[in-house]
């Protein structure tokens, strides 16, 4: 059997407004992209090949799903017209369909199924026509049915339209509560109702109330209460004494201290009420971006500590720097160019020398391990243009000037907090990148003393990472 | 690029082979069946290895010359590489796209007879 | 490997395949030193497409000005990144053009739209009487 998944842009237009950073077909339901639930169901119903059709772009989906080999199926892509009927879709995909039985899942809806039941024989033997339907969605079977088996077992199947934030919230909670018994859900856990991703750091005093689903790279700080019914995405920090109950926290979100999130969807710096559809963008020290910059006087101890530490590093690394740079320059492996980066002051830029080291030789790997490529930047700490540890400096591109204006917590540093925490590297996106979350957290919380230990960690981490190469 | 033209039940089938870019686009644009506003054309892209915005522009321009812009030019057998360029420019929205040339011809014939 | 390759071609449309196929070969070279070839197909395709679009744009603008010029293409290799610079002597232009909507049938602008989409970084600056369009993509 083969399956066609067909979507029209107008069916999921609301997702673009509510969650602009996510392709609607990758909208996470209980930490699993929507499209994967459909792929799972197609596989359970015995499909070996799947074709994804859409009347809009789905580049992001294609990059995520690729050719389907991850699921052991053959996945291909095609286009449809908004007004194409099921019959037209079958005609446009005649080569794909061949003579086989075809299941067409159309519309942006959540399929309620149970992975333990036998949908295979149903899909293969039911008469052609509608199998399940809901407003805006349907599952249709086409082609000659096979012989009805001797033991006919019905398997319930229903659809729930995902037509707005409220239904999305309901479907997510339903998936969480019915849990891994019915659906294939991500994460590991010793007991039912608790699924954890990789690299989840839980402080001792954290209270977890089932059911919960937690993604990868999550930090739950002291005295937080998670659950019941909490879905926490990946690259999330829940700060001290906050609670998340009956709520969804999207990937790359930082929940500030002393915050109660109940019955909400937190995504980036937006807090949504799924029932009313109301949404507010936070600009205060709670949900992520609104971390106010400290005044000149309050930042003096930090700047002083950073300058002293930078001086020590300049002195210690001076001799290795002179030797390695001369040798590498002679061998043509030390290439430097000036690049404009965004400075801490909103809308301003600064020019920094960027050194490219080829990793081809042992000498370059020693230089990289000792962070020689950043030696010149240490002097910028003395002049106060860079912190010794802070955010990864962002290249000054026009579209980014606006980004830093909205993301207040940007403090470019020689080393980044993400390097200290071995957080997955991002492309330096101040608004949504993975590393941006951990950087924001530390910029809000760091003290001169904690910075020193993080500088050492960052330096050592780079040393270990580069010396492996 | 080479263009091989055949005809089935009154529908012209243009099989494109090679590259449709700024260099080869005029050949396509000047094809008789493409110019004829009454003629339904199926473009078989099975052997089209590469297309750029000039190629897309030529096909979009051709469809605008047709009396029936959406049904006048029908595309078939697009490979992934060509499909991605259509998607980047959103040009896929302007066409009916089939994975089988015979199915595309059937569709064009049905449309033509309905119009007649 | 930190190397660069420079080619200079007459700004005529008949050289567009040569330019884009050279780009594909250069991209294949970078791929072969870093990742399995099968994983780098998209990278090579994107590179070929971007150069094709850039070259065509330069030629088209020169035709408008009724001048024949030489176009210089420089490929710069970095360990996991390929940058290509296209230098032409056309009048100044900007890459900050609005994204065209094909359903409104605008006359042009798709070349830059495609380049921006398939490449990671695109900049353009004026150097004397030349434009330098710089496009880079990482593995």
């Amino acid at each position: 059997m083969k399956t066609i998944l067909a979507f029209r842009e107008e069916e999921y237009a609301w997702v673009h407004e509510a969650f602009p950073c996510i392709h609607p077909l990758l909208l996470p339901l209980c930490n699993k992209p929507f499209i994967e639930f459909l792929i799972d169901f197609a596989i359970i119903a015995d499909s070996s090949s799947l074709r994804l059709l859409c009347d809009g772009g789905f580049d992001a989906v294609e990059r995520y799903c690729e050719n389907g080999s991850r699921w052991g199926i053959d996945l291909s892509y095609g286009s449809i017209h908004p007004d194409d009927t099921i019959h037209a879709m079958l005609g446009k995909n005649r080569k794909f369909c061949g003579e086989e039985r075809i299941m067409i899942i159309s519309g942006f809806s959540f399929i309620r199924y149970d992975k333990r039941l036998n949908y295979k024989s149903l899909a293969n033997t039911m008469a052609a026509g509608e199998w399940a339907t809901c407003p805006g969605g349907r599952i249709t079977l086409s082609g000659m049915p096979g012989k009805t088996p001797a033991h006919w077992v019905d398997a319930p199947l229903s659809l729930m339209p995902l037509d707005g934030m409220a239904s999305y919230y309901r479907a997510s909670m339903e998936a969480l509560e019915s849990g891994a018994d019915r659906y294939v859900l991500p994460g590991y856990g010793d007991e039912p109702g608790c699924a954890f991703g990789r690299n989840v750091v839980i402080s001792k005093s954290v209270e977890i109330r089932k059911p919960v689903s937690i993604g990868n790279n999550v930090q739950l700080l002291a005295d937080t209460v998670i659950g019941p019914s909490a879905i926490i995405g990946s690259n999330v920090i829940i700060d001290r004494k906050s609670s998340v109950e009956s709520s969804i926290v999207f990937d790359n979100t930082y929940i500030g201290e002393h915050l109660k999130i109940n019955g909400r969807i937190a995504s980036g710096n937006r807090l949504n009420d799924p029932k009313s559809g109301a949404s507010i963008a936070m600009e205060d020290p709670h949900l992520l971006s609104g971390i106010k910059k400290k005044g000149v006087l309050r930042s003096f101890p930090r700047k002083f500590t950073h300058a002293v530490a930078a001086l020590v590093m300049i002195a210690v690394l001076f001799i290795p720097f002179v030797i390695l740079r001369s040798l590498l320059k002679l061998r043509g492996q030390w290439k430097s160019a000036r690049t404009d980066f965004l400075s801490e002051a909103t809308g301003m830029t600064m020019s920094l020398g960027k050194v490219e080291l080829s990793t081809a030789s042992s000498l370059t790997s020693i230089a990289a391990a000792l962070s020689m490529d950043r030696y010149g930047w240490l002097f910028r700490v003395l002049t106060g243009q860079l912190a010794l540890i802070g955010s990864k400096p962002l290249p000054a591109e026009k579209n980014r000037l606006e980004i830093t204006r909205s993301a207040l917590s940007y403090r470019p540093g020689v080393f980044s907090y993400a390097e200290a925490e071995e957080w997955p590297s991002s492309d330096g996106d101040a608004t949504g990148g993975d590393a941006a979350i951990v950087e924001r957290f530390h910029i809000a919380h760091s003290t001169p003393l904690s910075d020193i230990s993080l500088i050492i960690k960052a330096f050592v981490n780079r040393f270990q990472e580069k010396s492996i190469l | 690029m080479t263009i091989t033209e055949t005809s089935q039940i009154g529908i012209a089938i243009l099989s494109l082979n090679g590259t449709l870019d700024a260099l080869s686009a005029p050949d396509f644009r000047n094809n008789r069946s493409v110019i004829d506003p009454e003629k339904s054309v199926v473009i078989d892209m099975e052997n089209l290895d590469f297309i750029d915005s000039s190629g897309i522009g030529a096909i979009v321009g051709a469809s605008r010359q047709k009396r029936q812009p959406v049904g006048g030019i029908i595309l078939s057998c697009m490979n992934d590489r060509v499909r991605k360029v259509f998607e980047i420019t959103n040009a896929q929205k302007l066409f009916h796209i089939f994975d089988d040339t015979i199915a595309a011809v059937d569709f064009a014939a049905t449309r033509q007879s309905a119009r007649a | 490997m930190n190397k660069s390759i420079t080619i200079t071609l007459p700004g005529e449309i008949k050289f567009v395949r040569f330019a884009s196929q050279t780009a594909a070969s250069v991209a294949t070279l970078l791929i072969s030193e870093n990742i399995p070839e099968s994983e780098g197909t998209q990278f090579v395709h994107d590179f070929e497409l971007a150069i094709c679009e850039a070259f065509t744009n330069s030629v088209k603008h020169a035709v408008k000005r009724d001048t024949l010029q030489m176009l210089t293409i420089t490929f710069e290799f970095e360990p996991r990144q390929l940058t290509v610079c296209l230098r032409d002597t056309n009048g100044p232009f900007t890459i900050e053009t609005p994204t065209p909507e094909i359903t409104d049938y605008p006359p042009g602008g798709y070349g830059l739209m495609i380049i921006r989409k398939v490449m990671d970084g695109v900049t353009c600056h004026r150097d004397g009487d030349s434009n330098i369009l710089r496009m880079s993509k990482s593995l």
Side-chain angles (χ1 to χ4, degrees), chain A residues 21-301:
Chain A
C21 295
I22 301 168
H23 190 286
L25 300 183
L26 298 178
L27 187 68
L29 278 148
C30 203
N31 284 328
K32 178 170 169 139
F34 164 75
I35 192 78
E36 278 199 61
F37 283 90
L38 305 195
I39 293 174
D40 285 348
F41 179 69
I43 293 169
I44 290 169
D46 197 28
S47 285
S48 56
S49 291
L50 221 145
R51 177 156 290 179
L52 181 56
L53 303 176
C54 188
D55 64 348
F58 45 66
D59 190 40
V61 184
E62 212 172 323
R63 267 182 278 126
Y64 179 79
C65 298
E66 295 178 329
N67 61 1
S69 57
R70 194 183 334 166
W71 298 279
I73 52 155
D74 198 12
L75 184 55
S76 56
Y77 304 86
S79 300
I80 49 164
H81 248 258
D83 51 0
D84 275 349
T85 58
I86 298 282
H87 179 72
M89 283 182 217
L90 292 169
K92 286 185 175 182
N93 296 280
R94 192 186 285 180
K95 199 180 269 176
F96 169 78
C97 297
E99 297 296 310
E100 292 209 38
R101 189 155 174 85
I102 305 293
M103 174 166 72
I104 304 119
I105 303 175
S106 61
F108 195 55
S109 42
F110 178 66
I111 309 180
R112 292 190 183 100
Y113 60 89
D114 189 331
K115 67 181 183 188
R116 297 162 296 189
L117 302 179
N118 184 0
Y119 293 95
K120 181 177 162 180
S121 62
L122 272 176
N124 281 314
T125 56
M126 272 169 66
E130 258 173 23
W131 185 357
T133 178
C134 74
R138 65 178 60 175
I139 301 178
T140 315
L141 294 166
S142 158
M144 287 297 287
K147 276 187 183 164
T148 310
H151 303 287
W152 175 277
V153 185
D154 193 21
L157 181 74
S158 66
L159 294 174
M160 172 183 182
L162 295 174
D163 53 6
M165 203 141 9
S167 57
Y168 163 66
Y169 176 81
R170 274 203 311 278
S172 299
M173 288 301 154
E174 204 177 295
L176 176 70
E177 276 149 26
S178 50
D181 289 343
R182 283 186 70 164
Y183 304 103
V184 183
L185 292 175
Y188 312 92
D190 291 337
E191 46 187 312
C194 265
F196 293 88
R198 294 184 306 273
N199 193 23
V200 177
V201 181
I202 305 174
S203 303
K204 270 183 185 165
S205 50
V206 171
E207 196 179 321
I208 291 185
R209 300 170 182 163
K210 291 193 290 188
V212 292
S213 169
I214 296 175
N216 301 323
N217 303 316
V218 173
Q219 292 190 26
L220 307 175
L221 279 90
D223 303 318
T224 53
V225 180
I226 307 298
S229 300
I231 301 170
I232 315 269
S234 290
N235 308 313
V236 169
I237 296 174
I238 313 284
D239 213 336
R240 292 185 303 130
K241 296 188 176 167
S242 283
S243 68
V244 179
E245 184 187 336
S246 303
S247 294
I248 303 167
V249 178
F250 270 52
D251 290 1
N252 305 315
T253 300
Y254 163 43
I255 307 285
E257 295 178 15
H258 299 277
L259 205 70
K260 269 191 167 44
I261 309 271
N262 193 340
R264 296 285 184 273
I265 303 173
S267 149
N269 68 338
R270 284 163 80 105
L271 195 59
N272 305 292
D273 178 0
K275 288 190 185 80
S276 67
S279 162
I280 42 164
M282 305 297 282
E283 285 295 347
D284 57 52
H286 297 303
L287 280 156
L288 68 92
S289 66
I291 296 155
K292 291 210 168 57
K293 293 192 176 185
K294 289 171 182 168
V296 178
L297 274 177
R298 289 187 61 191
S299 66
F300 179 75

Side-chain angles (χ1 to χ4, degrees), chain B residues 53-93:
Chain B
S53 64
S54 307
I56 299 263
I59 297 175
V60 172
S63 80
R64 291 198 74 192
Q65 289 185 355
K66 298 291 175 191
R67 206 153 69 88
Q68 224 196 350
V70 179
I73 299 259
I74 292 154
L75 312 178
S76 74
C77 302
M78 219 181 248
N79 66 29
D80 277 350
R81 187 175 184 184
V82 170
R83 181 176 57 77
K84 278 181 184 165
V85 186
F86 269 82
E87 277 170 19
I88 292 173
T89 54
N90 251 336
Q92 88 283 3
K93 291 192 170 182

Side-chain angles (χ1 to χ4, degrees), chain B residues 10-64:
Chain B
I11 309 294
I13 305 168
L14 302 188
S15 303
L16 310 186
N17 193 327
T19 296
L20 183 56
D21 58 10
L23 187 61
S24 52
D27 294 345
F28 174 81
R29 234 183 263 126
N30 297 328
N31 178 283
R32 265 202 332 211
S33 300
V34 168
I35 293 169
D36 185 350
E38 299 297 326
K39 190 101 179 160
S40 290
V41 176
V42 169
I43 303 176
D44 175 1
M45 298 182 155
E46 185 161 18
N47 296 311
L48 186 69
D49 308 320
F50 180 90
I51 194 166
D52 73 345
S53 64
S54 307
I56 299 263
I59 297 175
V60 172
S63 80
R64 291 198 74 192

